[in-house]
């Protein structure tokens, strides 16, 4: 029987408490969590003086299952553990052969398998043995709509607060590219330390990341929810003047997400603020207000048609049935359809 799926936070907490497992298979399409767990193990398992003899880094393209097994069956030298990390393990062609070791792993070896961008077949022996005797963790992409709450949670782990608008600005600007997000948050954390502050504000982001606190996708959604034609067009003009910071390929997914969620609102049995928060998986009331406004200003059939319009605009922005319209032209045309 498979164990309850363990979370990223639980794995990190156990590693920090030195509750190590003999085998970690870290797989899936999101490399960020795989790298974070691996880096934590590299920092935590061995003292620096123990690493020369007891830490081995292998690469999938240059090794095979038998070599990994032989290394794992060694005993540590003057240390409680030896740590073996197999990077790019998805390139190990005979990786299923590792199951013979994982079925009976040494307690003194910590074997870490980085199986990025793919997942092992859970019906086969290696995944089953890992699930029984170690950690089988699937690292999944975070949906765009969950990014603001993820950013807030990430900053809480650093004991840093972040304004809801600031979290949304970062989400709109960076999407769900977690490695890029982490670099920007590291930069903001350093700036906060210099200022002796512990809160990220829209102003801080505007000054240090280059996102306008007034002209961004977050504010565009607010303007559309209110049907504020003047503000929406001002934002579109700002985007046209600053195309590198505000490409249409960043704006269209935000629009699609908003109107798709708005359609969900119409089918929700409970259309109260709390009911819609539950239906959409939202954590902050500031987000649900845009949907309550949108339901007042856009009939359900209009929303249904707009989702199709956004998809068409996305295709045209990629050159499908479009020979001359610029991205700015496409966005203005789409906003006209939304607002009229």
């Amino acid at each position: 029987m498979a164990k309850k799926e363990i979370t990223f936070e639980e794995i990190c907490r156990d590693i920090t408490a030195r509750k190590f497992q003999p085998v970690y298979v870290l797989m899936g399409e999101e490399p960020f969590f795989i790298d974070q767990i691996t880096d934590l193990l590299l920092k935590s398992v061995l003292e620096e003086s123990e690493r020369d003899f007891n830490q081995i880094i292998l690469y999938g393209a240059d090794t095979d299952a038998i070599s990994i097994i032989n290394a794992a069956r060694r005993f540590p030298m003057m240390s409680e553990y030896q740590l073996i990390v197999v990077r790019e393990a998805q390139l190990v062609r005979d990786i299923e052969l590792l199951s013979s070791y994982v079925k009976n792993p040494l307690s003194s070896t910590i074997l870490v398998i980085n199986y990025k961008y793919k997942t092992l077949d859970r019906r086969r022996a290696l995944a089953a043995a890992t699930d029984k005797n170690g950690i089988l963790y699937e690292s999944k992409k975070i949906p765009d709509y969950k990014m603001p709450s993820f950013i807030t949670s990430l900053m809480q782990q650093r004991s840093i607060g972040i304004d809801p608008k600031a979290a949304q600005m970062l989400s709109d600007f960076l999407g769900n590219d977690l490695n890029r997000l982490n670099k920007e948050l590291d930069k903001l954390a350093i700036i906060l330390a210099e200022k002796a502050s512990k809160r990220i504000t829209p102003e801080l982001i505007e000054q240090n990341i280059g996102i306008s606190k007034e002209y961004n996708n977050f504010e565009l959604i607010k303007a559309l929810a209110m049907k504020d034609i003047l503000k929406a067009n001002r934002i579109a003009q700002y985007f046209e003047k600053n195309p590198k910071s505000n490409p249409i390929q960043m704006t269209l997914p935000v629009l699609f997400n908003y109107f798709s969620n708005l359609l969900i609102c119409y089918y929700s049995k409970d259309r109260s603020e709390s009911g819609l928060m539950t239906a959409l998986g939202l954590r902050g009331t500031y987000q649900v207000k845009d949907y309550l406004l949108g339901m007042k200003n856009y009939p359900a059939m209009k929303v249904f048609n707009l989702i199709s319009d956004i998809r068409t605009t996305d295709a045209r922005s990629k050159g499908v049935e479009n020979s001359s319209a610029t991205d700015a032209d496409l966005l203005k045309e789409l906003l006209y359809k939304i607002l009229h």
Side-chain angles (χ1 to χ4, degrees):
M1 183 179 177
K3 296 184 290 188
K4 178 188 173 186
E5 193 166 332
I6 192 167
T7 67
F8 169 74
E9 290 78 13
E10 289 169 336
I11 294 171
C12 293
R13 188 162 57 242
D14 283 350
I15 292 171
T16 303
R18 298 189 63 78
K19 295 178 182 177
F20 303 124
Q21 297 290 328
V23 181
Y24 293 82
V25 172
L26 311 174
M27 61 184 187
E29 59 180 336
E30 179 49 74
F32 175 80
F33 297 114
I34 294 172
D35 291 339
Q36 290 286 302
I37 293 170
T38 302
D39 289 347
L40 186 58
L41 284 162
L42 287 167
K43 291 174 186 174
S44 304
V45 174
L46 300 172
E47 298 291 337
E48 192 169 346
S49 60
E50 300 172 326
R51 291 172 188 162
D52 285 344
F53 296 106
N54 298 294
Q55 181 170 292
I56 301 172
I57 309 291
L58 300 172
Y59 289 87
D62 303 322
T63 191
D64 55 38
I66 299 303
S67 299
I68 297 168
I69 291 170
N70 289 337
R73 284 180 173 157
R74 287 175 56 242
F75 288 98
M77 292 181 63
M78 296 178 288
S79 174
E80 185 178 0
Y81 298 107
Q82 73 156 339
L83 175 64
I84 301 173
V85 175
V86 185
R87 298 192 186 276
E88 300 170 4
Q90 69 275 10
L91 300 178
V92 180
R93 283 182 288 180
D94 57 353
I95 195 166
E96 274 296 319
L97 295 178
L98 288 177
S99 61
S100 63
Y101 170 79
V102 177
K103 287 174 182 176
N104 188 27
L106 287 184
S107 59
S108 58
T109 293
I110 296 172
L111 175 62
V112 185
I113 306 294
N114 284 184
Y115 197 84
K116 290 183 177 178
Y117 311 112
K118 295 182 178 182
T119 58
L120 291 173
D121 187 338
R122 291 178 183 267
R123 298 167 296 181
R124 302 192 68 184
L126 178 55
T130 305
D131 202 32
K132 181 179 178 182
N133 296 320
I135 296 291
L136 181 66
Y137 173 71
E138 183 175 351
S139 180
K140 299 176 182 178
K141 287 280 187 185
I142 296 178
D144 288 337
Y145 73 92
K146 289 188 175 180
M147 280 303 298
S149 59
F150 174 76
I151 292 169
T152 301
S153 174
L154 208 58
M155 298 318 297
Q156 283 175 346
Q157 293 172 25
R158 302 179 181 213
S159 299
I160 295 173
I162 182 166
D163 291 354
K165 180 177 176 179
Q168 188 69 52
M169 287 169 65
L170 284 171
S171 173
D172 292 345
F173 186 64
L174 301 172
N176 61 357
D177 184 339
L178 299 190
N179 284 313
R180 189 178 169 204
L181 169 67
N182 202 46
K183 289 176 184 175
E184 295 294 354
L185 293 181
D186 283 342
K187 182 167 76 173
L188 291 172
I190 292 169
I191 293 165
L192 285 177
E194 292 171 352
K195 293 175 175 281
S197 173
K198 288 209 167 185
R199 190 161 193 85
I200 296 173
T201 62
E203 289 77 14
L204 188 76
I205 291 173
E206 182 176 42
Q207 292 162 8
N208 296 282
I209 297 183
I211 312 170
S212 167
K213 65 175 179 156
E214 296 298 332
Y215 301 102
N216 55 67
N217 288 319
F218 176 80
E219 293 296 330
L220 178 60
I221 292 298
K222 283 182 67 177
L224 294 178
M226 293 186 289
K227 274 208 164 181
D228 188 333
I229 296 173
L230 181 61
K231 184 174 181 181
N233 283 309
R234 280 178 176 168
I235 293 171
Q237 289 172 1
Y238 180 86
F239 285 2
E240 184 177 6
K241 292 176 182 176
N242 299 274
K244 289 185 179 179
S245 301
N246 306 277
I248 195 170
Q249 287 76 20
M250 279 172 47
T251 300
L252 292 176
V254 175
L255 295 175
F256 183 82
N257 182 60
Y258 173 73
F259 285 105
S260 297
N261 281 345
L262 193 55
L263 201 58
I264 291 171
C265 292
Y266 284 109
Y267 289 100
S268 177
K269 291 181 180 178
D270 183 356
R271 296 186 183 181
S272 67
E273 189 173 283
S274 59
L276 293 181
M277 285 178 65
T278 301
L280 299 176
L282 304 177
R283 294 178 61 181
T285 56
Y286 70 95
Q287 288 175 291
V288 81
K289 288 175 182 175
D290 289 339
Y291 293 108
L292 290 168
L293 272 172
M295 290 176 72
K296 289 181 181 179
N297 288 322
Y298 297 93
M301 188 51 67
K302 166 93 170 174
V303 173
F304 184 82
N305 291 331
L306 286 175
I307 291 171
S308 177
D309 290 334
I310 293 167
R311 285 183 169 143
T312 300
T313 303
D314 180 55
R316 292 180 66 198
S317 74
K318 295 168 182 170
V320 178
E321 296 183 7
N322 175 35
S323 58
S324 60
T326 65
D327 285 354
D329 293 334
L330 292 173
L331 182 59
K332 287 176 185 175
E333 181 183 327
L334 178 60
L335 292 181
Y336 183 85
K337 289 178 180 178
I338 293 172
L339 292 164
H340 296 86

